[in-house]
């Protein structure tokens, strides 16, 4: 096992650094179990000073499930399609404006899929000289802070998800949402879910992909979605991650929402590798 791995808080609610682990080396079973245990309670986990290629990043993801190809064809890694690029640089080295604005409003990844990812991993290769962070909201704490009447209301609701069809998705992307291999249909998920390890209840509504609720008119659903998003993204629930080159950050796709802060100069390069992991 890696010698004495430790945890160090980075934020008040979210953000925890895992110390003493080198992800470039094969993980033994005790170390992998330690990470899994730490991750269940700390859904934004950071490993500093790493240097992984796409194959190694996907290999790390496979310790927890199965990495899957990202919906956006353009950003898939050429040699490892289960890894994708999160970048503001196009193939000619110019500013990729879709890449700049991509994912800069609150969301949980791929809730428009027929099954849900369990986690995602980002690895910083190039970062702007200042800012360019990623923000995470604790959807466990957000649920806990809801009034009991709202918790009861949401417990009986099934949310409807599509690809960027929620109020934030419509505002951010307009009619162009990137080229995908298939057309995505509406998918229902309970508005409240529970963490499979800890059992904690989680608010599972995000303004990018959630566009309605079963049995509720859009005129009522969109204000509720926006109200829940505003509640969940209060400063007390949010961690802003200030990237360093070499950071590997994994986050729980059930227990958090996230967004790119979009607060850097787009003519400065921001290049990261990402993989999204499913249970099967």
């Amino acid at each position: 096992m890696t010698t004495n791995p430790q945890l160090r808080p980075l934020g008040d609610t979210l953000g925890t650094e895992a110390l003493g682990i080198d992800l470039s080396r094969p993980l033994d079973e005790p170390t992998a179990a330690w990470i899994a245990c730490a991750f269940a309670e700390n859904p934004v986990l950071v490993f500093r000073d790493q240097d992984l290629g796409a194959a190694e990043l996907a290999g790390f993801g496979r310790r927890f499930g199965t990495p899957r190809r990202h919906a956006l064809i353009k950003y898939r890694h050429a040699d490892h399609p289960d890894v994708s690029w999160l970048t503001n640089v196009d193939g000619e080295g110019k500013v990729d404006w879709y890449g700049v604005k991509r994912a800069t409003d609150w969301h949980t990844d791929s809730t428009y899929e027929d099954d849900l990812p369990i986690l995602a991993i980002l690895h910083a290769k190039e970062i702007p000289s200042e800012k360019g962070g990623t923000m995470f909201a604790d959807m466990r704490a957000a649920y806990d802070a809801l009034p009991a009447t709202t918790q009861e209301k949401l417990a009986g609701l099934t949310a409807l998800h599509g690809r960027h069809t929620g109020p934030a998705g419509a505002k951010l992307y307009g009619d162009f949402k990137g080229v995908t291999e298939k057309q995505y249909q509406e998918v229902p998920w309970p508005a409240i879910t529970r963490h499979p390890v800890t059992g904690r209840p989680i608010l599972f509504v995000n303004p990018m992909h959630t566009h309605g609720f079963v049995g509720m008119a859009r005129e009522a659903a969109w204000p509720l979605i926006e109200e829940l998003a505003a509640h969940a993204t209060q400063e007390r629930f949010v961690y802003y991650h200030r990237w360093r080159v070499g950071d590997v950050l994994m986050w729980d796709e059930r227990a958090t929402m996230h967004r790119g802060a979009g607060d850097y100069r787009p003519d400065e390069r921001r290049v990261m590798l990402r993989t999204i992991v499913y249970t099967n």
Side-chain angles (χ1 to χ4, degrees), residues 72-217:
L72 289 171
I73 300 169
K74 173 181 177 180
Y75 296 100
R76 291 177 186 167
H77 192 284
D79 300 319
H80 300 278
D82 50 0
V83 173
S84 63
W85 295 100
L86 195 65
T87 178
N88 68 332
V89 184
D90 67 17
E92 298 177 350
K94 299 177 181 178
V95 175
D96 176 351
W97 287 106
Y98 185 83
V100 169
K101 74 175 183 178
R102 177 180 160 202
T104 51
D105 212 326
W106 290 104
H107 64 287
T108 302
D109 289 323
S110 302
T111 60
Y112 50 86
E113 297 275 8
D114 293 332
D115 55 343
L116 295 169
I118 55 175
L119 63 90
I121 307 169
L122 266 182
H123 185 21
K125 292 298 187 180
E126 299 181 57
I127 60 172
S129 60
E130 58 181 1
K131 299 185 178 180
T134 302
M135 303 169 73
F136 296 88
D138 188 336
M139 303 303 279
R140 309 163 307 170
Y143 172 83
D144 291 344
L146 286 170
T149 53
T150 305
Q151 291 178 349
E152 292 169 7
K153 176 181 179 179
L154 292 172
L157 290 181
T158 298
L160 299 170
H161 297 251
R163 189 167 174 268
H164 307 329
T165 53
K171 178 177 66 177
L172 182 64
Y173 292 105
D175 292 332
F176 180 71
K177 298 176 173 62
V179 179
T180 61
E181 284 179 331
K182 66 178 183 178
Q183 296 295 313
Y184 291 93
Q185 306 300 316
E186 184 178 77
V187 180
W189 298 111
I192 303 299
T193 188
R194 288 189 177 271
H195 194 279
V197 178
T198 67
R200 284 188 65 175
I202 298 166
L203 174 59
F204 199 67
V205 174
N206 75 87
M208 184 77 74
H209 304 309
T210 309
H211 63 252
F213 299 94
V214 173
M216 185 182 297

Side-chain angles (χ1 to χ4, degrees), residues 46-76:
V46 181
F47 306 83
R48 302 280 196 188
D49 303 316
Q50 309 292 324
D51 186 13
L52 308 183
E56 294 168 305
L57 189 68
F60 178 48
R62 287 191 192 96
R63 298 309 301 252
F64 309 99
T66 304
R68 188 178 297 182
R69 297 183 179 193
H70 192 263
L72 289 171
I73 300 169
K74 173 181 177 180
Y75 296 100
R76 291 177 186 167

